[in-house]
Amino acid sequence: MKHIFQKGSNPEAPLLLLLHGTGGTETDLLPLAEMVSPGSSVLSVRGNVLENGMPRFFRRLSEGVFDEEDLIFRTKELYDFLESASKKYDFDRERVVALGYSNGANIAASLLFHFEGALQGAILHHPMVPRRGIALPSLSDIPVFIAAGKNDPICPAAETDELNQLLLQAGATVDVQWENYGHQLTRSEVEAAGSWFQKNFLKE
């Protein structure tokens, strides 16, 4: 997968796996990583699917309707890529926290839904429920941060509430940050994600 790896200055900090939104690239979220955890190593990945020329991490059938078969395939593809990248770049595979926005947040959530131990934690900006009606692996002691917009036309509040419940039922600890905006990223939610990351992963 096309990607950027940057070695961090703090060996104690988990690696940040950056996953862009629809139409983004592997450079989009680098400024967010700098705000959330400047000392972390970064692995920023570009989605392998094109929709009208725009990179995505998996196909969809229409707005908000995922191609479930492709989602499962692409989630495994990303999981396998993480395994090989950890060997190539010599980072601790057990210490990876995803930071995803929109489509990238959905594939990050899908990693949590499909593979036990895939992530040490996740920052999900404006995610949806990746799949319904499946048994989730144990997410015990996995912290998850969700940022959601109260006026998000793509991801309604009920979607956020459902995802929160599914993660909690699987044992995750979830913090939800509500913004009075739509689907766009806001500085305040990124700053809240940084405080959350500091509290959960950079304890003194």
Side-chain angles (χ1 to χ4, degrees), residues 176-195:
V176 181
Q177 169 87 5
W178 289 99
E179 299 283 318
N180 290 313
Y181 295 100
H183 197 62
Q184 73 269 37
L185 274 165
T186 66
R187 185 176 184 88
S188 57
E189 74 186 63
V190 176
E191 287 173 347
S195 299

Side-chain angles (χ1 to χ4, degrees), residues 69-138:
E69 196 176 319
D70 193 59
L71 172 64
I72 294 164
F73 175 80
R74 298 296 174 183
T75 303
K76 175 77 164 66
E77 176 184 61
L78 181 57
Y79 181 82
D80 290 344
F81 173 72
L82 275 173
E83 297 291 323
S84 60
S86 68
K87 296 179 178 71
K88 180 177 179 180
Y89 296 116
D90 194 29
F91 62 80
D92 185 349
R93 180 63 190 85
E94 303 291 309
R95 305 208 66 218
V96 174
V97 175
L99 190 168
Y101 166 58
S102 193
N103 180 242
N106 295 337
I107 194 90
S110 187
L111 279 171
L112 293 172
F113 271 48
H114 289 99
F115 296 103
E116 187 166 351
L119 298 169
Q120 192 186 12
I123 296 169
L124 308 176
H125 292 280
H126 305 268
M128 295 176 71
V129 176
R131 288 186 71 198
R132 291 175 170 88
I134 63 165
L136 271 62
S138 170

